[in-house]
Amino acid sequence: AKVDLTAQERACLVATRSLKNSYAGETDLRRRSTDMNVVTWQTTQDTLRSRGMLNKAGAITDAGRNALQHGGR
């Protein structure tokens, strides 16, 4: 089933699925890979958590992976 995702939700899920958040001394890499500021990123993560697409720790869940795989838009 297709899941509606905003552009920000999609970007957050893709970044979370694809990137480590810290690497080689750089931090906040997931958010920085998008054009979101800190507040927008955190708000988007909160929305995705409430929809079960991110867990409490901010990791992508099966529901989040499925939303991306099934072309959520």
Side-chain angles (χ1 to χ4, degrees), residues 2-33:
K2 200 169 263 192
V3 177
D4 287 332
L5 294 173
T6 67
Q8 290 172 334
E9 289 168 344
R10 173 173 275 297
C12 185
L13 287 172
V14 168
T16 302
R17 178 190 66 189
S18 306
L19 300 170
K20 290 180 175 246
N21 203 39
S22 300
Y23 181 75
E26 295 288 322
T27 59
D28 206 17
L29 295 177
R30 290 175 178 155
R31 182 190 62 80
R32 289 171 38 204
S33 75

Side-chain angles (χ1 to χ4, degrees), residues 31-49:
R31 182 190 62 80
R32 289 171 38 204
S33 75
T34 71
D35 290 330
M36 288 184 245
N37 63 35
V38 172
V39 172
T40 302
W41 177 259
Q42 290 174 342
T43 301
T44 303
Q45 281 190 316
D46 289 345
T47 300
L48 291 168
R49 277 189 197 95

